[in-house]
Amino acid sequence: MVPATGAFPTDVRNDALRASRTHPGAVLLPPAFTIAEHIGDRWRPGSYVDLPTPFRARDVLSVRLRVVDQVERGLTAPERAAYIKAADRLEADRSHEVTLADRRLRIVRVERMIRFGPDGPEGPRRSDHDPELPVMVQDQQLREQGVDPDEDAPIELNEATQELMRLFQAEQRRRVDRGRTTPRTTPGTTRRD
C-alpha cells in the first residue's frame, strides 16, 4: 500500500514508506464514490468529494455539468447546451460515465483505509496538502488588510459568483419542479431520494 516509484512526488512516497513502518496495521473503511476524468492516457481523480453512494456521485456530477463547469470553464452557449444534455443523459440513464466533446468523466469506486500503529490511527503526513491557514492567522491577515472580520458588512459578489448563484437557483427550481430538492452539496439545502 505504497505508491510506486515515479507515480507520485518523492516526499509523498517517502511519507507512505515511513507510515508502512510506523503504522503497519490497516482497517478498511466502507467504499466511497467520486468522479474521475480521463486526461491524456490516464484516469485522474477530479477535485470532488468522496460520496457515500453512486447516486450521490452522479448527482454531484450532474450539478457540476449544469452549474459549476458552465462558469469555471467559461463555456459558450453551444457548449453549455451540450453539458446540460450530457447531465440529462446521465440522470435519465442512471449511467456511471458521460462523454462530452472534449471530456470523459466516470463515477468511480474508492477504497479507503486507516493505518494503525502502536499509538493508534495515523495522523496527517508532512506531504499531505493543507492549503488552509489556521483561522486565527486568517483573522490576523484580514485585520492587517484593514478588514474587520467581526463586521457584518454585505459581501460583494463578483460577476462569476453571481452567475454561479443564478445557475444554482435555476437548478434548484428545476429539481423542485421535478419533485427533487437540491443536492446536499448546496449549502443549507436538503434532498429527497
Side-chain angles (χ1 to χ4, degrees):
M1 294 181 274
V2 174
T5 303
F8 288 88
T10 304
D11 61 333
V12 172
R13 179 169 161 67
N14 289 343
D15 276 354
L17 285 168
R18 188 177 310 104
S20 70
R21 291 187 303 274
T22 62
H23 294 79
V27 175
L28 287 177
L29 298 173
F33 300 86
T34 192
I35 299 141
E37 184 168 0
H38 195 259
I39 300 172
D41 61 346
R42 300 176 64 180
W43 283 97
R44 300 179 191 274
S47 58
Y48 305 98
V49 296
D50 290 345
L51 298 147
T53 64
F55 171 83
R56 295 276 181 237
R58 187 179 314 110
D59 202 39
V60 166
L61 179 53
S62 175
V63 171
R64 287 255 359 153
L65 295 172
R66 292 178 190 283
V67 178
V68 180
D69 286 352
Q70 303 275 326
V71 177
E72 279 186 0
R73 293 179 166 271
L75 301 178
T76 64
E79 290 169 332
R80 286 177 180 232
Y83 271 58
I84 290 169
K85 188 175 178 180
D88 289 343
R89 279 192 322 269
L90 185 71
E91 289 177 355
D93 299 344
R94 294 183 47 149
S95 61
H96 301 300
E97 187 169 315
V98 65
T99 302
L100 298 149
D102 61 338
R103 300 175 74 196
R104 186 173 168 202
L105 301 153
R106 180 181 292 171
I107 295 166
V108 296
R109 179 185 176 100
V110 178
E111 297 289 339
R112 303 175 301 161
M113 63 164 236
I114 296 176
R115 285 191 175 277
F116 275 88
D119 66 339
E122 178 188 17
R125 298 174 184 173
R126 284 179 286 186
S127 61
D128 288 333
H129 183 63
D130 191 10
E132 297 291 325
L133 293 172
V135 172
M136 294 307 292
V137 173
Q138 293 179 40
D139 185 87
Q140 182 61 36
Q141 287 178 342
L142 287 171
R143 291 180 192 286
E144 288 170 1
Q145 295 169 12
V147 176
D148 182 358
D150 299 322
E151 186 180 308
D152 288 334
I155 298 170
E156 292 186 34
L157 303 177
N158 64 26
E159 189 177 321
T161 305
Q162 289 177 26
E163 184 177 7
L164 272 173
M165 187 172 66
R166 284 190 300 273
L167 290 170
F168 268 119
Q169 289 169 344
E171 176 64 4
Q172 182 175 18
R173 285 190 302 275
R174 183 189 76 84
R175 287 169 179 250
V176 168
D177 290 346
R178 293 183 60 213
R180 286 177 23 189
T181 57
T182 55
R184 290 186 180 157
T185 55
T186 305
T189 61
T190 59
R191 177 182 170 122
R192 292 187 309 264
D193 291 329

